[in-house]
Amino acid sequence: MQKIAVIGAGTMGNGIAHVFAQHGYAVNLIDVSAPALDKALQTIIKNLDRQVAKGTITEAIKVDTLGNISLQTDLATGVKEVSLVVEAATENIALKLKIFQDLDLHAPADAILATNTSSISITKIAAVTKRPAKVIGMHFMNPVPVMKLVEIINGYATDKEVTATIVALSEKLEKVPCVVNDYPGFIANRILMPMINEAICSLFEGVAGVAEIDTVMKLGMAHPMGPLQLADFIGLDVCLSILQVLHDGFGNPKYAPCPLLVNMVTAGYLGVKSGEGFYKYTPGSKDLVVSERF
């Protein structure tokens, strides 16, 4: 497995492309938007420069990594000769199903098709292809170059050899693979999102303030980041989407999104990406400032 295609040039896509390229794989980074590809490349360069400055990689590795990345806007061309595709498009089920139909049509018949989805059913995605045994979840954590975990999700029909291949590949990327089965939220988000939702409910009900909730979890539970700050970092729209998947998938009211979260997303307060969520984010500043709305 030497040639990889990554679909989607957003935060996750450029991070996944970065990691594969840094470990010697030829990567086609594919996105319908040329400006998005250019932005992704600049992000990869900036992150590589940070690694060089910290001494974790050499300048030569940076040069080799960039040389391994090819930017493409045409999916059919980009996946034509690859052994693995990792889809990292927006967390939208209709979009992902369409992408996998196209991948099944254009990627080599023996290519493994992986998705970086954080909550959408692998089995459902696999069902729109003619190769469900070769479809698997490969859920990287953000930021991809830093975070060690890869949550590997078996669909109902995923072949054991495919799972073994992806586990071995993850280890070659210097990641720690954890294999789980395909149920709503998998493991990472089935546990994380109810915690975040409960933190939002606690704020909504006036139990404590933003800083107090996050401080309790950081100092009392040894979390590196409080749940409200983490929600801002993930994106409140993404948190809402995952909670809706959990709520729909299990039919259990304990997964129902907090009304405050729903209102914030509706109003466009999405966290870091929009400049304000539970905290306010000023470009160039690392100060953690609670939003005036709280």
Side-chain angles (χ1 to χ4, degrees):
M1 189 173 292
Q2 291 300 318
K3 197 161 191 177
I4 313 293
V6 177
I7 311 295
T11 300
M12 297 305 295
N14 74 60
I16 293 167
H18 173 158
V19 168
F20 272 107
Q22 187 179 317
H23 287 81
Y25 295 91
V27 180
N28 291 339
L29 180 56
I30 305 167
D31 198 292
V32 293
S33 167
L37 287 168
D38 292 338
K39 182 180 178 182
L41 184 60
Q42 292 307 309
T43 299
I44 292 169
I45 291 170
K46 182 175 72 174
N47 289 336
L48 286 167
D49 285 340
R50 186 179 292 117
Q51 288 177 287
V52 171
K54 288 182 177 179
T56 55
I57 65 169
T58 64
E59 185 68 29
I61 291 174
K62 171 193 166 182
V63 171
D64 288 345
T65 298
L66 292 173
N68 286 334
I69 299 172
S70 172
L71 306 180
Q72 302 199 26
T73 55
D74 183 65
L75 182 143
T77 303
V79 303
K80 191 175 181 181
E81 298 177 345
V82 301
S83 303
L84 168 69
V85 181
V86 181
E87 172 273 319
T90 304
E91 195 76 347
N92 176 293
I93 189 165
L95 175 63
K96 288 186 185 291
L97 295 182
K98 176 63 169 66
I99 288 172
F100 270 79
Q101 287 174 327
D102 291 343
L103 291 176
D104 193 42
L105 185 63
H106 297 292
D110 59 349
I112 295 172
L113 307 182
T115 173
N116 183 59
T117 182
S118 56
S119 62
I120 296 170
S121 168
I122 308 303
T123 303
K124 193 168 195 173
I125 290 172
V128 302
T129 75
K130 295 177 181 176
R131 61 179 95 185
K134 289 188 172 292
V135 177
I136 194 166
M138 198 174 187
H139 180 205
F140 290 84
M141 304 294 130
N142 184 28
V144 181
V146 176
M147 299 292 278
K148 287 293 186 182
L149 176 67
V150 179
E151 188 179 30
I152 296 171
I153 307 104
N154 285 323
Y156 192 81
T158 304
D159 190 277
K160 290 181 180 179
E161 289 185 8
V162 170
T163 306
T165 297
I166 296 301
V167 166
L169 178 61
S170 300
E171 290 171 342
K172 287 179 182 177
L173 299 177
E174 300 180 77
K175 301 297 186 186
V176 177
C178 287
V179 179
V180 307
N181 291 318
D182 184 26
Y183 293 95
F186 317 134
I187 287 297
N189 282 314
R190 181 171 177 173
I191 294 170
L192 175 63
M193 286 302 152
M195 183 191 75
I196 286 176
N197 197 45
E198 195 62 30
I200 299 170
C201 285
S202 298
L203 177 65
F204 179 56
E205 294 167 6
V207 179
V210 171
E212 289 75 16
I213 290 168
D214 278 355
T215 299
V216 165
M217 296 306 291
K218 285 189 287 185
L219 300 186
M221 314 305 164
H223 291 193
M225 188 182 293
L228 300 177
Q229 184 187 0
L230 180 56
D232 274 358
F233 181 72
I234 293 169
L236 301 191
D237 53 336
V238 176
C239 293
L240 176 59
S241 175
I242 295 169
L243 282 164
Q244 288 169 334
V245 167
L246 289 168
H247 193 214
D248 292 345
F250 290 114
N252 190 324
K254 76 177 182 179
Y255 298 113
C258 178
L260 174 58
L261 175 62
V262 175
N263 272 353
M264 291 177 72
V265 172
T266 302
Y269 292 87
L270 308 180
V272 175
K273 69 175 76 174
S274 69
E276 187 172 352
F278 296 105
Y279 296 88
K280 194 170 180 70
Y281 302 91
T282 304
S285 173
K286 292 186 178 180
D287 294 336
L288 200 58
V289 179
V290 175
S291 167
E292 293 175 359
R293 296 177 178 276
F294 303 108

